[in-house]
Amino acid sequence: DEFNTGLALQIARSSDETLILNRESPSAFINWLQKSTDGEFGMSGRYTEMEVRDAGLEATGLSLVTSSRVSRNISAKWSKAFNQRSTLSANGSYEKVSYTGDTFIDYNTTTGVITFAYALNEKSTPFIKISYADYEPVAGGYYSYLSSADAGLHWQSSDNLQGTLQAGRSINNDGE
């Protein structure tokens, strides 16, 4: 079992607060991973808070709007090797993002991926992957999603050179 956690506080001070505001941005994470001889299972959580600024032009000149962005994320991953060559893996996450003020839109996102891979040899591994992602504004608005199915090949020529080639079909909520 692996377990790690962390806390951070980024402190920024500016000599010109009309350009960059003073800020304190906390973040925290917790990760857990359990490995076995034929796979692994893990979960993680993350909290991040930061200041965001949007600039726009008004009749009186440049207008700067500042708010706080808070992100809460939970994710999980799982993999299982059926033999020395074939592996099935899945991962997913849920994120909730909220802002202070009325400038930005609060939203939630959900993602998930399932992948089956079969190693031909030590250097070449073809795979198929099915994925899903969505974006949902909290207070109404335009909901969107993207589903895709891909086939590909991951290769590794050396420790320093590797690549992935993949192609597939995607469908979003517009049917494209």
Side-chain angles (χ1 to χ4, degrees), residues 102-113:
D102 296 331
T103 304
F104 300 101
I105 298 171
D106 300 350
Y107 65 90
N108 302 323
T109 59
T110 306
T111 62
V113 178

Side-chain angles (χ1 to χ4, degrees), residues 6 13 25 33 41 52 77-78 107 111 115 121 128 135 154-155 173:
R13 298 291 178 244
S25 301
L33 180 65
F41 175 75
V52 292
K77 67 179 183 175
W78 169 85
Y107 65 90
T111 62
T115 305
N121 53 46
I128 56 172
Y135 165 86
H154 179 76
W155 77 93
N173 52 320

Side-chain angles (χ1 to χ4, degrees), residues 149-172:
D150 300 299
L153 175 69
H154 179 76
W155 77 93
Q156 183 167 356
S157 299
S158 67
D159 289 340
N160 298 324
L161 182 61
Q162 59 181 323
T164 301
L165 178 65
Q166 67 185 41
R169 171 94 168 112
S170 297
I171 299 173
N172 63 27

Side-chain angles (χ1 to χ4, degrees), residues 44-71:
S44 64
R46 179 171 301 277
Y47 173 89
T48 307
E49 189 176 316
M50 67 177 66
E51 298 297 317
V52 292
R53 180 172 267 190
D54 186 38
L57 288 176
E58 293 182 354
T60 58
L62 183 64
S63 169
L64 298 174
V65 177
T66 303
S67 71
S68 293
R69 177 187 190 269
V70 176
S71 169

